[in-house]
Amino acid sequence: ARPAVRKIHPTLCTVLGGEGPIRVAVGDGRVPGPRPAKEIPRWLAAADLLCLPSHSEGRPMSVLEAIASGRPVVGTTVGALPSLVTPETGILVPPRDASALAEALLAALSRGWDEKAIASKASGWSWDGTARKLEALYAGLSR
């Protein structure tokens, strides 16, 4: 999808973060590898969006961090992504569909996103918020 996006956005800079089997040089991009947790907000603040084109996924921390940082997400309809990424927070496409991914990236890059509205979707994702939800769930089960 990247070459198609670069035709429209020739100054696009791609950053591949994290660790995994596909850590390759991306020409004009950056491959910083795994970063300490304290650096993640800085990397996200510099980004226009987060792209996670996974073939399979659970509940990816990178997506939670991007949304909490007010960054839109372009990802695939796998794992928990459909429950995390809404039309207000990003765009989802089928996995292994490079054309759809390119179209979604172009759409996301051309859209004016409301960073505060995106970040507000993460308001209940704190450890305390999650604990309260679990506590309420367990209380309901014990009745």
Side-chain angles (χ1 to χ4, degrees), residues 35-47:
R35 307 307 316 147
K38 67 181 180 182
E39 288 184 18
I40 300 303
R42 186 180 207 183
W43 284 93
L44 286 170

Side-chain angles (χ1 to χ4, degrees), residues 108-119:
L109 288 168
S110 67
R111 180 174 164 186
W113 295 92
D114 183 340
E115 292 179 17
K116 289 182 181 178
I118 292 171

Side-chain angles (χ1 to χ4, degrees), residues 2 31-32 48 50 74 79 90-91:
R2 188 171 175 271
V31 186
D48 293 318
L50 174 82
V74 174
I91 303 170

Side-chain angles (χ1 to χ4, degrees), residues 23-136:
R23 283 199 61 215
V24 296
V26 289
D28 59 343
R30 297 188 63 183
V31 186
R35 307 307 316 147
K38 67 181 180 182
E39 288 184 18
I40 300 303
R42 186 180 207 183
W43 284 93
L44 286 170
D48 293 318
L49 59 83
L50 174 82
C51 180
L52 187 66
S54 295
H55 297 170
S56 66
E57 200 57 70
R59 185 179 170 99
M61 183 61 72
S62 59
V63 169
L64 299 172
E65 291 168 333
I67 292 172
S69 297
R71 294 296 174 262
V73 174
V74 174
T76 49
T77 54
V78 298
L81 269 74
S83 68
L84 301 172
V85 180
T86 66
E88 296 80 27
T89 61
I91 303 170
L92 294 177
V93 299
R96 296 181 169 91
D97 188 338
S99 296
L101 182 62
E103 288 177 24
L105 287 165
L106 290 169
L109 288 168
S110 67
R111 180 174 164 186
W113 295 92
D114 183 340
E115 292 179 17
K116 289 182 181 178
I118 292 171
S120 74
K121 301 296 182 185
S123 64
W125 293 349
S126 68
W127 287 111
D128 289 339
T130 301
R132 282 192 296 276
K133 287 178 186 176
L134 283 172
E135 186 177 66

Side-chain angles (χ1 to χ4, degrees), residues 15-26:
V15 177
L16 297 176
E19 190 66 71
I22 308 178
R23 283 199 61 215
V24 296
V26 289

